[in-house]
Amino acid sequence: MSRRIEFTAHGGPEVLSLVSRPVPDPGDGEVRVRNHAVGLNFIDTYQRSGLYPVAHLPSGLGSEGAGVVEAVGPGVTTFQPGDRIAYGTGPLGAYAEHHVLPAAHLVRLPDAIGFEQAAAIMLKGLTVQYLFRQTHVLQAGDTVLFHAAAGGVGLLACQWAKALGVRLIGTAGGPDKVARALAAGAWAGIDYDREDVVARVLELTEGRKCPVVYDGVGAATWATSLDCVAPRGLLVSFGNASGPVTGVNLGILAQKGSLYVTRPTLGSYANTPERLQAMADELFGLVQRGAITVEIGQRFALADAAEAHRALAGRRTVGATVLLP
């Protein structure tokens, strides 16, 4: 038997249950992974709550993990039992001792990177990769704004920006979180609880604003983000921690300087095995040479997934959180 977390209805953390199921067999093109560590992400809470409804119930949860290949299905030639792997693009069901998923969603994990490290950074790190290296290819000397810079994605973004020679202005709530962003590599920090973000961006950029603004917060920061984008610049809205952006008036983009807006997703960029592995290789390379360090602030047993969700929602987590099957 294999233990996994399931939920039969959308709701709060209390809907998560630990159940035992037969060890799954991989089908055509699939691989069975024995998870050694599983990543916890905000999107997991969206899927649990129903903000992002799942395809069917009951459902597993989680899309990120790392472990060892146990079995391969018919047609799989790229992996074999014993391979160290990681994944960050689902499908749902990573909160489990065993997970069956398409071989095309796996990447090879270098020996120098531990399972917990990989589970903590796959989804977040691949997100920063496509934001900085594909959605808009950042160059040394660029000045960008990144909201929630002390969050899981944000702290990786601060480090990656520093490695690229990019001046990242990070927003965060409270002096402690601003200090964390600065320590991670942000060029400047703005405490949105105490400072006027737009005024500070104008001051820091000498009135030029930013050619790119990265906004994973959503509704609460949408208007502020638009006011921080330079004419003909790009607003990258890649998340909605405060709620989705709705009712967008395209005329506002004209009024504020012929702005561009995109709403990207990881799946649109990591859409072939070759691209996924190349993205992961760049991420792993930065980790191996010390440009990115992985801070795991919390470890929860798989059975305590509900408590992990409460800690995440209650802002009681620092750095990354992993579940240990």
Side-chain angles (χ1 to χ4, degrees):
M1 301 294 284
S2 178
R3 299 185 308 158
R4 71 193 299 255
I5 295 293
E6 287 186 359
F7 60 106
T8 59
H10 292 295
E14 68 280 357
V15 303
L16 301 180
S17 299
L18 183 69
V19 301
S20 292
R21 302 288 188 217
V23 176
D25 291 323
D28 289 349
E30 293 182 331
V31 169
R32 184 175 75 230
V33 174
R34 173 69 188 226
N35 283 326
H36 285 235
V38 176
L40 179 73
N41 295 283
F42 246 107
I43 193 172
D44 303 346
T45 69
Y46 300 159
Q47 290 157 339
R48 184 210 70 223
S49 69
L51 178 62
Y52 291 173
V54 298
H56 57 80
L57 294 169
S59 174
L61 193 61
S63 59
E64 174 185 50
V68 174
V69 173
E70 271 197 349
V72 300
V76 175
T77 59
T78 50
F79 295 96
Q80 60 185 3
D83 286 346
R84 301 176 79 252
I85 60 83
Y87 57 92
T89 57
L92 293 183
Y95 287 20
E97 292 176 334
H98 298 90
H99 191 25
V100 170
L101 66 166
H105 291 197
L106 304 182
V107 299
R108 296 188 178 278
L109 184 62
D111 290 340
I113 296 180
F115 295 120
E116 291 186 14
Q117 281 183 303
I121 62 168
M122 278 297 292
L123 182 58
K124 302 176 188 70
L126 292 176
T127 296
V128 178
Q129 198 282 339
Y130 84 73
L131 290 175
F132 283 7
R133 307 292 288 149
Q134 298 187 72
T135 303
H136 181 91
V137 180
L138 294 180
Q139 305 292 333
D142 287 345
T143 302
V144 303
L145 179 67
F146 201 102
H147 288 299
V153 174
L155 290 174
L156 288 178
C158 291
Q159 296 178 73
W160 205 316
K162 184 177 181 180
L164 292 172
V166 170
R167 296 180 295 187
L168 184 146
I169 303 170
T171 73
D176 290 345
K177 289 191 174 183
V178 170
R180 286 177 58 78
L182 291 171
W187 174 68
I190 301 174
D191 181 352
Y192 57 66
D193 287 341
R194 294 175 172 82
E195 298 179 274
D196 183 318
V197 173
V198 177
R200 281 287 287 141
V201 167
L202 286 170
E203 179 183 352
L204 290 165
T205 62
E206 298 180 339
R208 292 187 295 272
K209 301 185 182 180
C210 298
V212 190
V213 171
Y214 295 99
D215 189 341
V217 177
T221 49
W222 173 253
T224 296
S225 293
L226 287 173
D227 284 337
C228 293
V229 182
R232 301 186 305 282
L234 174 64
L235 170 52
V236 183
S237 178
F238 67 95
N240 40 243
S242 67
V245 176
T246 60
V248 176
N249 178 358
L250 293 180
I252 296 295
L253 305 181
Q255 295 172 21
K256 294 186 179 295
S258 300
L259 307 184
Y260 294 87
V261 175
T262 185
R263 180 59 171 91
T265 64
L266 174 58
S268 298
Y269 287 90
N271 60 349
T272 69
E274 294 77 17
R275 288 175 182 165
L276 175 60
Q277 186 68 58
M279 293 167 67
D281 287 345
E282 185 173 6
L283 170 64
F284 295 154
L286 287 167
V287 174
Q288 287 179 276
R289 71 171 186 259
I292 286 180
T293 58
V294 184
E295 179 186 4
I296 301 175
Q298 301 75 217
R299 294 170 175 84
F300 289 86
L302 178 66
D304 296 327
E307 181 54 34
H309 276 227
R310 293 187 185 98
L312 185 63
R315 302 177 72 179
R316 291 185 281 113
T317 62
V318 175
T321 302
V322 294
L323 305 177
L324 302 178

